[in-house]
Amino acid sequence: AQKVTQAQTEISVVEKEDVTLDCVYETRDTTYYLFWYKQPPSGELVFLIRRNSFDEQNEISGRYSWNFQKSTSSFNFTITASQVVDSAVYFCALKGGGADGLTFGKGTHLIIQP
Amino acid sequence: DTGVSQDPRHKITKRGQNVTFRCDPISEHNRLYWYRQTLGQGPEFLTYFQNEAQLEKSRLLSDRFSAERPKGSFSTLEIQRTEQGDSAMYLCASSPEGPSYNSPLHFGNGTRLTVT
C-alpha cells in the first residue's frame, strides 16, 4: 500500500519569510514518482514538480526548491521569500510503478500574511 | 489549450437521486482520470481511462458509480441513488500520451456535489 503524509495541516507565515512544507511517503515499489501540486482558492490543482525515485538531485525553480531524500522517504518543498500569492493548499502525491492513479497527502494549507 | 472543462460547477441533489457529471479533457489528451476530494482531504483516485478503455478502478468506486468515455474524448461520471456521503468535489484530469509517469495531470476546476 502507498501512503503520503503531510503532517502540517496549516502553516501561517508573514510575507517574505521562508517556509518548508514537509512530505513523507511510504511505498514498496522501487520505481515511483513524486509530485507537488498547488490548489489555490479557485480550486484547480496546478502541477508544480515531478521527481522519479532514481533522481535524488534537488531542484530549484525561482523561489521554489525541492529536497528529495530517499533515505528518509521525504520530498520537502521550500518557498523562499514567500508572497501573498503563494497562499494555497499544497499537496504532495505519489505514483507507484504499476499504478496510474496518484496517492495524495491531505495537504498543507499555507497562509502568507502581508 | 483551453484546459480541462467540467460541467456543472455545482450540483445540489436530494438523497436517492441520480446525477451525472461531464468532463472535457484537453484535446488530444488520451488519458483521463476522475478523482474525488472531500473537505480537508487530498484528492482520491476513482478511475482512469486510456482513450475509451477504462483501465483502472479504485475500490472507492462502488457499484453506484459508473464512468464512461464512449468515443475517447469527453467522459461522464454517474452516481446512482446518491447518498449524503457522496457529497464532495469531483475532479477530472487529463494527460497526454507517453509514459504515464512522465505526464503530469492537468486538472479541471471540479464539480461540487451536495447531497441533501
Side-chain angles (χ1 to χ4, degrees), chain B residues 21 23 32 48 62 75 80 86 107:
Chain B
F21 311 140
C23 170
L32 187 145
Y48 155 65
S62 77
S75 175
Q80 296 182 326
D86 297 331
F107 282 85

Side-chain angles (χ1 to χ4, degrees), chain B residues 11-113:
Chain B
K11 178 71 177 179
I12 300 174
T13 190
K14 291 184 178 180
R15 188 178 54 184
Q17 298 293 305
N18 299 343
V19 294
T20 300
F21 311 140
R22 176 179 170 124
C23 170
D24 287 89
I26 294 172
S27 58
E28 298 177 358
H29 276 192
N30 68 335
R31 301 174 193 270
L32 187 145
Y33 303 77
W34 285 99
Y35 284 80
R36 179 174 68 188
Q37 185 177 19
T38 54
L39 199 62
Q41 302 294 317
E44 296 171 300
F45 170 75
L46 292 178
T47 190
Y48 155 65
F49 290 86
Q50 182 161 320
N51 298 312
E52 66 276 7
Q54 189 173 20
L55 297 186
E56 191 174 342
K57 291 169 64 174
S58 163
R59 285 173 294 178
L60 293 174
L61 210 65
S62 77
D63 56 5
R64 296 185 298 106
F65 288 69
S66 62
E68 294 182 345
R69 195 182 183 197
K71 296 182 180 179
S73 56
F74 73 92
S75 175
T76 57
L77 177 68
E78 180 182 16
I79 308 174
Q80 296 182 326
R81 306 181 302 282
T82 53
E83 302 172 356
Q84 287 187 323
D86 297 331
S87 296
M89 177 75 85
Y90 289 84
L91 297 167
C92 178
S94 68
S95 69
E97 191 161 0
S100 61
Y101 60 82
N102 207 31
S103 304
L105 301 185
H106 299 259
F107 282 85
N109 285 327
T111 293
R112 182 169 295 285
L113 172 67

